[in-house]
Amino acid sequence: MTNLLKWSDPSLLKFMCAELTRGYFLEHNEAKYTERRERVYTCMRIPKELERLMTFGMFLCLDAFLYVFTLLPLRMLLALLRFLTIPCCGLGGARLLQPAQVCDLLKGLIMILCFCMMHYVDYSMMYHLIRGQSVIKLYIIYNMLEVADRLFSSFGQDILDALYWTATEPKSRRRAHIGVIPHFFMAVFYVFLHAILIMVQASTLNVAFNSHNKSLLTIMMSNNFVEIKGSVFKKFEKNNLFQMSNSDIKERFTNFVLLLIVCLRNMEQFSWNSDHLWVLFPDVFMVVASEVAVDVVKHAFITKFNDLTADVYSEYRASLAIELLSSRQQNAYTDYSDSVARRMGFIPLPLAVLLIRVVISSVKIQGALASVCLLLFYLGLISLKVLNSVVLLGKSCKYVKQARMEQKLHERTAAATPSKSASEPKVERHVISVTKQPAPRAELITTCSPPLNPDPGHPPATPPTGVEAAEATAPPDSPELKQRFPKKDLLEIDRFTICGNRIG
């Protein structure tokens, strides 16, 4: 201002000289520009950190999805074997079936009934019915199906959990529910409706793939970018962003399964001609690329507007790892697939029923050679499930250690420890079961024996010292045990870390 007042004779030449020669110093506002630079660096780190979380979460969903096809049938056979051998061995005051075995049988019965009901649904008729609709109507239908799928996923796991708890609730407690059979039929009805809903989604996507001008597929992919408008300019806390990340993981994995169903149906229509697979590849790539691009842009701007760093995704990954490790403990309070369903909203039963229905209708199994190929395929799925589980356990231990969340893992384990009921018969702990059932943590503390020496050259173990004796006689909630058991709980699974890191 003082320089401007000194101009006694302002002119265009002096103004241009002042504009060309004036300077400014950015260091006068160093904090502001440093913050802006960090925001740019954060946006550049978001794709890498987000995709690492997405990859880990999708392998979690894959593990829960493969569990339905591989280990669940075997666990059902073990439960049936126990049920059939009870008349020979006798109950001895124990339960007829353990709670985990009851849940396995219920899941298997739900899948069998829903699969039988799905045989009465004509996939081809549904495809041609959807194909006869206009483009705008199909676009609206697809949006409605996405909303309905989220609503079904949010309420479906509650229905299944209500069934599992009603069937395994202790008999001594007062019953204030409608019974196991109504809950069972509610669960069957839900899984069937959800499978029909996913089938309509797959049929709509198949119509978009087979349309000549690809206008429907373009409109459906542009719908993903509308999601950016509805989420970017809102206030998000860390917990809300974690829920959104889990929802994105579930959505991406479901889209991959839908694309697999579409490819199977198209290859079956073209007599499994491999040339047609390359015709589908550009459309599949466009769907996947649009999904990844939308997720990256959405999360990048959400973290920018809410002043969140890219390190939050490492915390989210560690939280998912804790969920996995907690479900693998001996005192786990839930099945692993149910834990993933509660966290991510991914329920594998309806999707598994639909995939089995599509595979059986698309692939004809005739003759001894086809049966042998089916058996080899099943063994391959089991091998993939075991390999995926080992790698996930190793990576989970690594993520928990990096985030220093061993204490949080122990707190979740201690919270899940079942309390010993006074009315529970003592004979039950001596009953020999077909499968190894989890023992409560309190029993493990009070009845565990001193560890055996792995090396016979070492001297025998010495009696416990004063501190060890105090910890052994302390109650389960004492601070001594809280300080002692976090590392021990993690080391129960830490043996998979070396194998998982080598494989991964």
Side-chain angles (χ1 to χ4, degrees):
M1 181 63 71
T2 57
N3 294 332
L4 293 177
L5 294 176
K6 290 180 180 179
W7 286 5
S8 58
D9 186 16
S11 63
L12 179 61
L13 180 61
K14 290 182 179 180
F15 180 78
M16 291 298 298
C17 291
E19 287 294 319
L20 294 175
T21 58
R22 68 183 178 89
Y24 49 87
F25 299 93
L26 297 181
E27 58 266 22
H28 292 168
N29 202 352
E30 180 179 356
K32 174 183 177 181
Y33 290 105
T34 303
E35 181 184 359
R36 298 296 172 85
R37 184 174 62 186
E38 291 298 326
R39 288 183 180 180
V40 175
Y41 293 164
T42 300
C43 289
M44 295 173 63
R45 289 180 56 196
I46 288 299
K48 177 183 176 181
E49 296 295 331
L50 177 63
E51 289 306 314
R52 291 178 65 183
L53 173 65
M54 288 284 180
T55 304
F56 183 71
M58 287 187 62
F59 276 105
L60 290 178
C61 293
L62 177 63
D63 195 61
F65 193 56
L66 291 176
Y67 170 82
V68 178
F69 300 100
T70 56
L71 299 185
L72 182 60
L74 299 179
R75 290 177 62 93
M76 287 179 57
L77 291 178
L78 290 177
L80 288 175
L81 181 61
R82 172 178 168 80
F83 182 77
L84 294 177
T85 55
I86 281 177
C88 300
C89 301
L91 289 176
R95 293 177 181 232
L96 184 64
L97 288 174
Q98 294 295 334
Q101 295 172 335
V102 174
C103 294
D104 293 335
L105 289 178
L106 289 175
K107 291 178 184 178
L109 288 176
I110 289 173
M111 288 194 62
I112 293 173
L113 289 178
C114 291
F115 175 74
C116 295
M117 295 167 65
M118 289 291 291
H119 266 292
Y120 296 95
V121 180
D122 192 350
Y123 187 93
S124 301
M125 183 188 69
M126 182 180 297
Y127 172 80
H128 290 289
L129 181 64
I130 295 175
R131 190 173 184 178
Q133 308 299 323
S134 61
V135 174
I136 300 300
K137 187 180 293 186
L138 289 179
Y139 173 71
I140 297 174
I141 291 175
Y142 192 77
N143 289 336
M144 294 173 60
L145 291 175
E146 284 189 345
V147 176
D149 179 64
R150 295 185 179 183
L151 295 178
F152 270 64
S153 299
S154 63
F155 191 62
Q157 189 59 37
D158 295 336
I159 296 177
L160 295 176
D161 287 340
L163 170 64
Y164 301 152
W165 175 240
T166 305
T168 60
E169 186 179 9
K171 304 296 183 181
S172 59
R173 299 191 179 183
R174 181 181 178 183
R175 296 193 174 272
H177 51 77
I178 58 179
V180 178
I181 296 179
H183 278 285
F184 177 76
F185 283 109
M186 287 172 57
V188 171
F189 185 66
Y190 153 71
V191 173
F192 176 70
L193 287 183
H194 201 172
I196 293 294
L197 177 67
I198 301 174
M199 177 181 284
V200 177
Q201 278 186 298
S203 301
T204 308
L205 189 61
N206 198 4
V207 169
F209 268 61
N210 295 329
S211 60
H212 297 288
N213 53 4
K214 304 296 182 182
S215 58
L216 177 59
L217 186 62
T218 305
I219 294 175
M220 290 169 61
M221 293 307 101
S222 64
N223 185 45
N224 292 331
F225 292 90
V226 180
E227 186 180 355
I228 298 178
K229 178 182 177 182
S231 59
V232 164
F233 303 103
K234 293 181 180 180
K235 180 66 176 178
F236 277 90
E237 300 293 339
K238 292 178 64 175
N239 293 334
N240 302 119
L241 184 59
F242 186 34
Q243 296 175 0
M244 174 178 285
S245 301
N246 292 328
S247 177
D248 292 338
I249 293 172
K250 175 255 179 184
E251 181 180 359
R252 185 179 296 188
F253 183 82
T254 305
N255 287 337
F256 278 135
V257 178
L258 290 179
L259 290 175
L260 176 62
I261 293 175
V262 170
C263 292
L264 287 175
R265 294 299 300 175
N266 279 274
M267 294 297 292
E268 190 265 337
Q269 293 297 325
F270 285 87
S271 302
W272 297 96
N273 187 5
S274 59
D275 296 334
H276 185 68
L277 186 62
W278 296 105
V279 177
L280 296 173
F281 181 76
D283 297 333
V284 173
F285 178 78
M286 184 175 70
V287 173
V288 175
S290 65
E291 188 72 25
V292 173
V294 166
D295 289 338
V296 168
V297 173
K298 179 176 65 176
H299 284 267
F301 282 96
I302 286 177
T303 53
K304 177 183 182 298
F305 292 147
N306 294 276
D307 295 328
L308 299 175
T309 62
D311 297 330
V312 295
Y313 295 101
S314 300
E315 299 177 11
Y316 298 159
R317 193 169 62 244
S319 298
L320 293 178
I322 289 178
E323 293 281 346
L324 172 61
L325 296 178
S326 300
S327 62
R328 300 290 183 177
Q329 300 280 341
Q330 284 190 350
N331 57 343
Y333 58 90
T334 183
D335 186 57
Y336 168 65
S337 59
D338 296 331
S339 177
V340 173
R342 294 187 191 96
R343 175 61 68 182
M344 299 184 183
F346 172 68
I347 304 177
L349 292 183
L351 203 58
V353 170
L354 176 60
L355 186 59
I356 294 174
R357 167 72 172 84
V358 172
V359 169
I360 290 181
S361 62
S362 301
V363 181
K364 304 300 181 183
I365 302 175
Q366 296 177 353
L369 181 60
S371 302
V372 172
C373 292
L374 180 62
L375 178 60
L376 293 177
F377 179 73
Y378 177 71
L379 294 178
L381 284 181
I382 293 180
S383 302
L384 179 61
K385 170 67 174 66
V386 173
L387 177 64
N388 188 38
S389 300
V390 171
V391 174
L392 284 177
L393 286 172
K395 293 298 182 182
S396 298
C397 293
K398 178 182 176 181
Y399 295 150
V400 172
K401 287 182 178 180
Q402 287 179 351
R404 298 179 180 178
M405 292 186 177
E406 293 93 340
Q407 182 64 30
K408 185 176 180 180
L409 174 62
H410 169 64
E411 291 175 357
R412 292 181 60 88
T413 306
T417 303
S419 59
K420 191 69 176 176
S421 177
S423 60
E424 186 176 357
K426 295 182 179 180
V427 185
E428 183 175 353
R429 73 177 63 176
H430 301 290
V431 174
I432 299 176
S433 175
V434 177
T435 59
K436 181 181 179 182
Q437 298 300 327
R441 177 63 63 185
E443 294 183 5
L444 293 175
I445 294 173
T446 56
T447 63
C448 63
S449 60
L452 298 176
N453 293 317
D455 190 357
H458 287 185
T462 57
T465 59
V467 178
E468 294 176 349
E471 289 179 351
T473 57
D477 296 331
S478 63
E480 290 84 358
L481 292 179
K482 287 186 178 181
Q483 296 296 329
R484 178 184 177 186
F485 273 89
K487 294 183 179 178
K488 185 175 180 180
D489 289 337
L490 189 58
L491 288 176
E492 292 176 358
I493 311 174
D494 196 31
R495 60 182 181 273
F496 294 103
T497 305
I498 299 178
C499 183
N501 290 336
R502 288 178 180 176
I503 299 174

